[in-house]
Amino acid sequence: MIVALSGNGAVARRVSRLLHSSLVSLEQKKFPDGEIYLRFPHNLPHEEMVFVQSFHGAINDKLIETYFSAKSARETSKKLILVATYFPYLRQDKQFNPGEVVSNRLCADLVGSVFDEVFVFDPHLHRENTLSHIFSAKSTKLSANPLVADYIKRNIKNPFIIGPDWESYKWAESVARMVGCESAILEKKRISSRKVVVKLTKKIEISDKNVVIIDDIISTGHTLLEAIKDLRKIGAKKITCIGIHGIFVEGALEKLRKAKVNVVTTNTIPNPTSKIDVSQVIANYLSR
Ligand code: R5P
């Protein structure tokens, strides 16, 4: 049985169709004081249940929704699996300032503790090497890289791939290898959550190329906007920005469109740019 939680009903529905599994979604309401009310459509059967969630928007409400509903299902279900198409708090992976709470492990601990197995799509693992460093449950990383490479091969001729910061090499370089094209990684200095400086560290020739910037997360869009500025200076004409997870806060998508770039994301977070569907990858893993 697939359980569609509030963050990614569309992918949950597709996965249930691909696997010919039953699908349930929860009724959800908010009480006047902010507490949430959850109700499964019927009492749950004693079978394996796969919860599909994407932790974007009201992230903390979604954490409670996931924790409460899974904990309740635990009373009857044989096995509980979480598929997090986007998993939050992973960028808070060290104390940047004294006294700070390092949230990545705490979040993984809170949610992961209820499940027997966890699948996470393209997690932002920077200082942690693998998901097993943060989850105690069995955990598997899923990747949209082959789908992104396929999208580029089908839609973009003569591409040159750029990673806007060091961490993005896992996406940019890996996709460039799959496509068989050149790539370069820029250097980024983060000043604050809304200010970054991005610079080119080597000479590249891109004036006759279709530039594709690939990053795992597009949040405020500042990382991409800074990279776009630099790339325009050295002659980039057509630019496509591909994000695995399009969070798009504070008008990021509008800002990127104003910068005259094409924006494409996967549907790990549903939004108008979701042109790459990850459902089949999930279905393949679940049917193994
Ligand atoms: C962080 O290193 C990530 O890979 C992204 O580059 C970052 O989260 C993007 O954030 P923003 O869109 O706010 O610049």
Side-chain angles (χ1 to χ4, degrees):
M1 173 182 278
I2 305 288
V3 182
L5 294 181
S6 64
N8 210 338
V11 165
R13 276 191 294 280
R14 284 204 187 97
V15 172
S16 83
R17 274 203 296 273
L18 289 166
L19 295 174
H20 307 289
S21 314
S22 53
L23 174 77
V24 292
S25 42
L26 282 86
E27 178 191 344
Q28 191 170 151
K29 288 190 288 206
K30 214 159 201 182
F31 289 107
D33 58 2
E35 290 179 358
I36 58 171
Y37 167 93
L38 298 165
R39 183 182 177 189
F40 286 96
H42 44 69
N43 284 335
L44 297 172
H46 296 260
E47 59 177 65
E48 180 175 294
M49 292 172 77
V50 179
F51 288 68
V52 178
Q53 179 65 294
S54 181
F55 298 89
H56 59 93
I59 297 166
N60 299 331
D61 278 356
K62 289 193 173 80
L63 289 172
I64 290 296
E65 175 199 5
T66 309
Y67 181 80
F68 282 6
S69 56
K71 196 83 183 167
S72 168
R74 176 57 81 198
E75 286 164 24
T76 56
S77 177
K78 285 201 294 226
K79 187 173 182 192
L80 298 180
I81 297 174
L82 171 68
V83 175
T85 57
Y86 173 65
F87 195 82
Y89 285 105
L90 295 180
R91 287 170 292 175
Q92 296 186 33
D93 59 357
K94 75 161 195 174
Q95 270 200 341
F96 297 92
N97 296 293
E100 276 177 359
V101 173
V102 181
S103 309
N104 66 336
R105 285 174 186 234
L106 301 177
C107 184
D109 194 40
L110 174 76
V111 182
S113 64
V114 205
F115 291 93
D116 300 292
E117 196 170 356
V118 176
F119 293 88
V120 182
F121 239 99
D122 283 299
H124 186 87
L125 294 174
H126 178 33
R127 291 170 189 92
E128 309 283 358
N129 282 334
T130 67
L131 285 175
S132 59
H133 286 90
I134 56 169
F135 282 103
S136 50
K138 183 177 175 206
S139 51
T140 306
K141 176 175 130 180
L142 306 181
S143 176
N145 281 352
L147 302 174
V148 172
D150 190 51
Y151 177 88
I152 294 172
K153 283 188 203 161
R154 281 186 293 107
N155 295 287
I156 303 173
K157 286 198 184 86
N158 199 18
F160 190 112
I161 294 180
I162 299 284
D165 58 18
W166 183 79
E167 290 133 272
S168 65
Y169 82 93
K170 289 180 197 156
W171 292 274
E173 279 185 2
S174 148
V175 172
R177 265 197 307 278
M178 292 175 194
V179 174
C181 69
E182 280 180 272
S183 66
I185 303 295
L186 310 185
E187 204 179 273
K188 174 170 94 179
K189 191 163 179 237
R190 186 167 280 287
I191 318 290
S192 70
S193 54
R194 291 187 178 79
K195 192 162 172 51
V196 294
V197 181
V198 173
K199 66 173 192 241
L200 269 161
T201 52
K202 67 173 189 186
K203 209 169 173 315
I204 52 173
E205 181 43 62
I206 51 169
S207 51
D208 61 339
K209 301 278 184 185
N210 283 312
V211 173
V212 184
I213 313 176
I214 303 182
D215 205 354
D216 59 335
I217 296 171
I218 309 175
S219 181
T220 64
H222 286 121
T223 299
L224 293 181
L225 289 164
E226 285 298 310
I228 292 164
K229 247 198 271 169
D230 277 12
L231 295 166
R232 293 273 192 233
K233 279 185 206 150
I234 57 161
K237 290 180 195 87
K238 275 197 173 165
I239 301 181
T240 301
C241 296
I242 302 186
I244 307 294
H245 309 295
I247 303 179
F248 298 126
V249 295
E250 302 177 352
L253 186 54
E254 293 68 32
K255 287 176 198 160
L256 287 165
R257 286 190 168 144
K258 260 196 196 148
K260 305 236 175 321
V261 295
N262 182 26
V263 185
V264 175
T265 62
T266 74
N267 57 355
T268 59
I269 294 177
N271 55 49
T273 57
S274 301
K275 295 198 182 121
I276 300 171
D277 179 18
V278 299
S279 313
Q280 187 68 58
V281 176
I282 298 170
N284 292 348
Y285 269 90
L286 291 176
S287 55
R288 274 179 188 181

